[in-house]
């Protein structure tokens, strides 16, 4: 009962007693003597198990982030124990006689109090992943009988959600700076799966469904879009557990989503951040009826499947930019090897899902040409700048400009509303303006259709 057999492949084909006789070796190497002895005594069935569990939580007798502790705790709680059979109204009924002690209110309150102190302790412990999993599994299991444990499961999900948001902001900062921490997204993946696990038992309310669905769509998005760069050894098993929780509670989630459409909107906004808040969702027929559709004021369509966790924009999943764009000379010169999470529209435009330092970027490759249209839009002011190609066809529009305007390290952005060309550094994050040119009437020949430009240099004061 202390062996962890996660898959059929882990069971030896030659069924000897080797696994049984060596099951404590790995545990003994990582625990001290007192911890090892206490761990092996947890399953003191039938009288002492709950007392030992509570004593362990209260006195911190075992490392909660150790995998063996999690294994023994869950085995102890999931133990069915003695079953009594009786006949009522001519039908045989099973009774879990040993579990009645677990269902008593006194024990529920004790467990809830210990879980509360653990949640408070873990709020500032970002690195204790297995401890989060421990509390998520215990609280979700006990939430089936205890309202207080359901409350602790919600508090735990709040704590993990706050950590996920902090880690995600660090990830976005690294993307902007071109650096990469290989441990960051795996940490986010783990915590998202633990949030889902924490809602595995107990009653669901609308706010629970918001957190559960939001975590699920983000988890599935990471699973689909970060296959190579950010791998976990137990990624598939965590995903399987998350899918089991969602599929088990799907009917409850769908009913809550029909009553509270904000569940669908908030989950969609975790992937499509500029999704309108006032979307009107319609349930689509067929299957488990877990698919919903909405249309905004600009006739853009949004779809979400609560069972699969997939979000679609105009029928397409949010994804990375295709190689035909990221290999374009203009793109490489401005953005380097950076890629964006984007959504695609019907006209072939790829819109970045998240702003980068306050600006959204969109990309469109004109059909049958190698011409790439890149637009930068400020999130606050709505100002749109179109990146001009200063290499292709330079003689056509840059020929009459001064040499300082043509420098290789410059990039040229056209502000169409004001008819101004802005000069910045070639890197898209360097937004300080060094020069600009304004279109004006040709003084020598006012009737000329050839545009005339006046250039102005902006001094860079220290």
């Amino acid at each position: 009962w202390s062996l962890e057999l996660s898959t059929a492949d882990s069971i030896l084909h030659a069924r000897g007693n080797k696994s049984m006789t060596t099951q404590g070796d790995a545990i003994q190497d990582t625990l001290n003597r007192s911890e090892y002895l206490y761990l092996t005594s947890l399953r003191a069935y039938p009288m002492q198990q709950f007392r030992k569990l509570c004593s362990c939580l209260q006195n911190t007798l075992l490392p909660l982030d150790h995998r063996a502790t999690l294994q023994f705790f869950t085995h102890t709680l999931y133990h069915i124990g003695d079953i009594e059979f009786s006949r009522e109204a001519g039908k045989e009924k099973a009774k879990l006689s040993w579990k009645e002690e677990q269902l008593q209110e006194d024990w529920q309150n004790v467990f809830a109090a210990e879980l509360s102190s653990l949640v408070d302790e873990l709020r500032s412990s970002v690195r204790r992943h297995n401890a989060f999993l421990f509390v998520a599994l215990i609280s979700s299991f006990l939430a089936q009988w205890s309202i207080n444990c359901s409350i602790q499961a919600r508090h735990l999900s709040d704590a993990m959600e706050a950590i996920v948001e902090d880690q995600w902001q660090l990830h976005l900062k690294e993307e902007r700076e071109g650096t990469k921490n290989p441990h960051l997204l795996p940490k986010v993946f783990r915590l998202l799966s633990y949030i889902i696990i924490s809602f595995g038992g107990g009653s669901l309310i609308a706010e629970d469904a918001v957190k559960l669905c939001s975590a699920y769509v983000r988890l599935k998005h990471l699973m689909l879009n970060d296959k190579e760069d950010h791998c976990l050894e137990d990624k598939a098993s965590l995903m399987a557990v998350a899918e089991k929780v969602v599929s088990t509670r799907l009917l409850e989630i769908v009913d809550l989503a029909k009553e509270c459409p904000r569940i669908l909107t908030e989950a969609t906004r975790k992937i499509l951040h500029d999704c309108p808040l006032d979307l009107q969702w319609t349930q689509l027929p067929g299957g488990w009826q877990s698919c919903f559709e909405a249309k905004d004021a600009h006739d853009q369509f949004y779809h979400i499947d609560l069972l699969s966790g997939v979000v679609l924009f105009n029928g397409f999943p949010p994804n990375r930019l295709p190689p035909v764009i990221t290999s374009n000379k203009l793109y490489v010169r401005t953005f380097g090897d950076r890629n964006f999470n984007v959504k695609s529209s019907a006209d072939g435009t790829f819109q970045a899902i998240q702003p980068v330092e306050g600006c959204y970027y969109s990309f469109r490759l004109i059909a049958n040409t190698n011409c790439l249209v890149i637009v930068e839009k400020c999130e606050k002011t709505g100002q749109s700048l179109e990146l001009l190609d200063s290499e292709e066809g330079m003689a056509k529009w840059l020929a009459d400009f001064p040499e300082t305007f043509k420098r290789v390290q410059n990039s040229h952005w056209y502000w169409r509303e004001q008819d101004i060309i802005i000069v910045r550094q070639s890197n898209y994050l360097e937004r300080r303006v060094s020069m600009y040119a304004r279109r004006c009437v040709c003084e020598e020949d006012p009737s000329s259709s050839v545009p005339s430009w006046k250039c102005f240099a902006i001094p860079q004061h220290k």
Side-chain angles (χ1 to χ4, degrees):
W1 46 262
S2 64
L3 292 177
E4 182 178 359
L5 302 174
S6 54
T7 63
D9 295 335
S10 62
I11 301 175
L12 296 175
H13 295 290
R15 302 249 180 157
N17 67 340
K18 182 178 180 181
S19 57
M20 300 298 293
T21 57
T22 61
Q23 59 182 314
D25 292 352
I27 301 175
Q28 199 167 6
D29 292 339
T30 54
L31 298 177
N32 60 41
R33 183 173 179 274
S34 59
E35 291 173 342
Y36 179 78
L37 292 176
Y38 195 88
L39 182 72
T40 55
S41 69
L42 275 180
R43 299 294 302 276
Y45 176 79
M47 301 304 296
Q48 300 182 39
Q49 286 186 277
F50 292 122
R51 293 166 178 79
K52 285 185 174 292
L53 289 178
C54 293
S55 176
C56 176
L57 293 176
Q58 188 174 47
N59 301 312
T60 319
L61 299 175
L62 289 172
L64 302 184
D65 49 359
H66 196 288
R67 197 162 187 87
T69 305
L70 174 64
Q71 192 73 12
F72 274 65
F73 256 80
T74 52
H75 279 176
T76 302
L77 284 177
Y78 299 169
H79 194 165
I80 295 176
D82 295 335
I83 303 177
E84 296 179 359
F85 293 94
S86 61
R87 297 189 68 84
E88 294 183 8
K91 295 183 179 179
E92 191 173 48
K93 185 177 180 181
K95 176 184 177 183
L96 303 180
S97 55
W98 180 68
K99 279 291 185 184
E100 284 189 345
E101 184 178 0
Q102 182 175 325
L103 304 179
Q104 291 175 1
E105 186 176 356
D106 292 342
W107 282 114
Q108 294 175 18
N109 293 336
V110 171
F111 272 116
E114 298 305 331
L115 289 174
S116 177
S117 62
L118 274 177
V119 171
D120 293 338
E121 179 184 341
L122 291 176
R123 287 184 187 275
S124 57
S125 304
V126 183
R127 298 182 179 180
R128 298 182 64 184
H129 300 148
N130 288 336
F132 277 108
L133 176 59
F134 176 90
V135 181
L137 283 170
I138 302 302
S139 59
S140 64
F141 180 77
L142 295 174
Q144 298 175 83
W145 302 282
S146 171
I147 296 177
N148 291 332
C149 289
S150 291
I151 295 173
Q152 298 311 318
R154 293 181 184 122
H155 290 168
L156 177 67
S157 68
D158 291 339
M160 291 190 289
E161 193 174 30
I163 296 173
V164 165
E165 292 302 328
D166 291 342
Q167 298 298 304
W168 190 254
Q169 292 304 318
L170 287 176
H171 167 64
L172 296 180
K173 181 180 178 182
E174 288 184 351
E175 278 199 336
R176 290 195 298 267
E177 297 174 351
T179 59
K180 184 182 293 186
N181 180 356
H183 304 290
L184 199 56
L185 283 185
K187 187 185 300 181
V188 171
F189 190 95
R190 286 183 184 277
L191 290 174
L192 287 172
S193 64
Y194 299 163
I195 290 173
I196 297 169
I197 291 171
S198 65
F199 291 109
S203 59
L204 278 181
I205 60 176
E207 196 60 36
D208 297 339
V210 169
K211 297 174 184 176
L212 175 58
C213 294
S214 298
Y216 187 53
V217 297
R218 292 179 81 172
L219 187 72
K220 187 57 70 81
H221 185 71
L222 283 177
M223 187 76 175
L224 295 176
N225 292 285
D226 294 279
K227 294 180 180 179
E228 298 180 359
D229 296 335
H230 311 284
C231 295
L232 284 173
E233 293 181 0
D234 52 352
K235 190 173 186 178
S237 60
L238 286 174
M239 191 73 240
V241 174
E243 289 174 343
K244 177 183 178 298
V245 171
V246 173
S247 61
T248 302
R249 316 210 67 170
L250 182 63
L251 296 179
E252 298 175 73
I253 297 171
V254 170
D255 289 340
L256 287 171
K258 289 190 291 186
E259 296 174 5
C260 179
R262 187 174 72 88
I263 296 171
L264 305 170
T265 304
E266 291 295 331
T268 304
R269 285 176 63 85
K270 292 299 181 182
I271 307 300
L272 303 172
H273 299 268
D274 56 348
C275 167
L277 290 170
D278 57 349
L279 288 177
Q280 301 297 318
W281 293 92
T282 304
Q283 188 177 24
L284 298 178
W288 291 96
Q289 297 187 339
S290 60
C291 297
F292 292 81
E293 177 187 74
K295 184 173 71 171
D296 63 15
H298 304 288
D299 292 334
Q300 308 276 14
F301 285 90
Y302 300 83
H303 294 83
I304 182 171
D305 184 356
L306 296 177
L307 179 59
S308 66
V310 173
V311 173
L312 302 179
F313 178 76
N314 287 328
F316 296 96
N319 213 322
R320 296 286 192 170
L321 286 170
V324 68
I325 289 181
T326 56
S327 62
N328 185 279
K329 287 184 179 180
L330 181 60
Y331 182 94
V332 174
R333 183 172 180 270
T334 309
F335 300 97
D337 60 352
R338 185 212 166 105
N339 205 330
F340 291 84
N341 281 320
V342 295
K343 59 184 181 182
S344 57
S345 58
D347 63 350
T349 301
F350 293 91
Q351 171 72 49
I353 294 174
Q354 298 166 333
V356 179
E357 293 192 1
C359 290
Y360 284 98
Y361 292 90
S362 63
F363 311 87
R364 181 168 61 89
L365 198 62
I366 298 178
N368 302 322
T369 68
N370 196 35
C371 183
L372 179 62
V373 179
I374 300 175
V375 177
E376 176 188 271
K377 184 176 182 179
C378 180
E379 186 179 17
K380 290 184 178 180
T381 64
Q383 178 193 46
S384 294
L385 301 177
E386 181 180 333
L387 181 60
L388 301 176
D389 196 336
S390 58
E391 293 185 2
E392 298 292 337
M394 180 183 291
K396 293 182 179 180
W397 71 274
L398 272 180
D400 297 329
F401 283 87
E403 291 300 320
T404 53
F405 212 84
K406 305 176 186 178
R407 288 174 180 169
V408 177
Q409 65 268 29
N410 288 343
S411 65
H412 305 82
W413 299 80
Y414 183 42
W415 188 2
R416 193 173 295 275
E417 289 79 3
Q418 299 294 328
D419 210 5
I420 291 175
I421 297 176
I422 295 174
V423 180
R424 305 187 327 204
Q425 294 292 313
S426 59
N427 188 301
Y428 72 106
L429 292 176
E430 296 290 339
R431 296 173 183 161
R432 187 175 61 179
V433 179
S434 59
M435 297 182 69
Y436 73 93
R438 181 186 296 275
R439 192 193 299 267
C440 59
V441 178
C442 181
E443 297 178 356
E444 298 178 358
D445 186 6
S447 62
S448 174
S449 60
V450 179
S452 178
W453 297 86
K454 282 188 177 181
C455 299
F456 302 88
I458 299 178
Q460 307 299 322
H461 298 291
K462 295 184 178 180

PDB file of all heavy atoms in Angstrom, residues 8-16:
ATOM      1  N   ALA A   8       0.857   1.485 -15.642  1.00  0.00           N
ATOM      2  CA  ALA A   8       1.027   0.037 -15.756  1.00  0.00           C
ATOM      3  C   ALA A   8       2.473  -0.330 -16.063  1.00  0.00           C
ATOM      4  O   ALA A   8       2.949  -1.412 -15.699  1.00  0.00           O
ATOM      5  CB  ALA A   8       0.101  -0.508 -16.841  1.00  0.00           C
ATOM      6  N   ASP A   9       3.195   0.586 -16.721  1.00  0.00           N
ATOM      7  CA  ASP A   9       4.591   0.295 -17.077  1.00  0.00           C
ATOM      8  C   ASP A   9       5.490   0.204 -15.848  1.00  0.00           C
ATOM      9  O   ASP A   9       6.581  -0.370 -15.913  1.00  0.00           O
ATOM     10  CB  ASP A   9       5.133   1.381 -18.021  1.00  0.00           C
ATOM     11  CG  ASP A   9       4.403   1.381 -19.356  1.00  0.00           C
ATOM     12  OD1 ASP A   9       3.862   0.323 -19.728  1.00  0.00           O
ATOM     13  OD2 ASP A   9       4.370   2.436 -20.010  1.00  0.00           O
ATOM     14  N   SER A  10       5.051   0.809 -14.737  1.00  0.00           N
ATOM     15  CA  SER A  10       5.886   0.800 -13.534  1.00  0.00           C
ATOM     16  C   SER A  10       5.770  -0.511 -12.753  1.00  0.00           C
ATOM     17  O   SER A  10       6.464  -0.701 -11.770  1.00  0.00           O
ATOM     18  CB  SER A  10       5.498   1.978 -12.630  1.00  0.00           C
ATOM     19  OG  SER A  10       4.153   1.856 -12.218  1.00  0.00           O
ATOM     20  N   ILE A  11       4.885  -1.409 -13.173  1.00  0.00           N
ATOM     21  CA  ILE A  11       4.725  -2.705 -12.508  1.00  0.00           C
ATOM     22  C   ILE A  11       5.635  -3.725 -13.187  1.00  0.00           C
ATOM     23  O   ILE A  11       5.601  -3.890 -14.408  1.00  0.00           O
ATOM     24  CB  ILE A  11       3.256  -3.178 -12.581  1.00  0.00           C
ATOM     25  CG1 ILE A  11       2.339  -2.146 -11.912  1.00  0.00           C
ATOM     26  CG2 ILE A  11       3.094  -4.535 -11.911  1.00  0.00           C
ATOM     27  CD1 ILE A  11       0.877  -2.465 -12.027  1.00  0.00           C
ATOM     28  N   LEU A  12       6.462  -4.378 -12.410  1.00  0.00           N
ATOM     29  CA  LEU A  12       7.387  -5.346 -12.972  1.00  0.00           C
ATOM     30  C   LEU A  12       6.633  -6.543 -13.536  1.00  0.00           C
ATOM     31  O   LEU A  12       5.660  -7.029 -12.946  1.00  0.00           O
ATOM     32  CB  LEU A  12       8.368  -5.817 -11.893  1.00  0.00           C
ATOM     33  CG  LEU A  12       9.310  -4.756 -11.315  1.00  0.00           C
ATOM     34  CD1 LEU A  12      10.129  -5.361 -10.183  1.00  0.00           C
ATOM     35  CD2 LEU A  12      10.222  -4.192 -12.398  1.00  0.00           C
ATOM     36  N   HIS A  13       7.093  -7.017 -14.706  1.00  0.00           N
ATOM     37  CA  HIS A  13       6.465  -8.187 -15.312  1.00  0.00           C
ATOM     38  C   HIS A  13       6.793  -9.453 -14.513  1.00  0.00           C
ATOM     39  O   HIS A  13       5.971 -10.366 -14.404  1.00  0.00           O
ATOM     40  CB  HIS A  13       6.933  -8.332 -16.765  1.00  0.00           C
ATOM     41  CG  HIS A  13       6.492  -7.204 -17.638  1.00  0.00           C
ATOM     42  ND1 HIS A  13       5.173  -7.020 -17.998  1.00  0.00           N
ATOM     43  CD2 HIS A  13       7.187  -6.189 -18.199  1.00  0.00           C
ATOM     44  CE1 HIS A  13       5.079  -5.945 -18.773  1.00  0.00           C
ATOM     45  NE2 HIS A  13       6.286  -5.429 -18.909  1.00  0.00           N
ATOM     46  N   ALA A  14       8.025  -9.504 -13.959  1.00  0.00           N
ATOM     47  CA  ALA A  14       8.390 -10.626 -13.100  1.00  0.00           C
ATOM     48  C   ALA A  14       7.952 -10.281 -11.685  1.00  0.00           C
ATOM     49  O   ALA A  14       8.615  -9.529 -10.981  1.00  0.00           O
ATOM     50  CB  ALA A  14       9.898 -10.856 -13.162  1.00  0.00           C
ATOM     51  N   ARG A  15       6.829 -10.819 -11.274  1.00  0.00           N
ATOM     52  CA  ARG A  15       6.228 -10.416 -10.008  1.00  0.00           C
ATOM     53  C   ARG A  15       6.915 -11.104  -8.838  1.00  0.00           C
ATOM     54  O   ARG A  15       6.461 -12.142  -8.364  1.00  0.00           O
ATOM     55  CB  ARG A  15       4.745 -10.759 -10.000  1.00  0.00           C
ATOM     56  CG  ARG A  15       3.974 -10.104 -11.131  1.00  0.00           C
ATOM     57  CD  ARG A  15       3.043  -9.064 -10.593  1.00  0.00           C
ATOM     58  NE  ARG A  15       2.284  -8.418 -11.638  1.00  0.00           N
ATOM     59  CZ  ARG A  15       1.136  -7.832 -11.417  1.00  0.00           C
ATOM     60  NH1 ARG A  15       0.612  -7.849 -10.222  1.00  0.00           N
ATOM     61  NH2 ARG A  15       0.514  -7.201 -12.390  1.00  0.00           N
ATOM     62  N   GLY A  16       8.007 -10.533  -8.376  1.00  0.00           N
ATOM     63  CA  GLY A  16       8.655 -11.071  -7.194  1.00  0.00           C
ATOM     64  C   GLY A  16       8.365 -10.192  -6.000  1.00  0.00           C
ATOM     65  O   GLY A  16       7.481  -9.342  -6.029  1.00  0.00           O
TER      66      GLY A  16
END
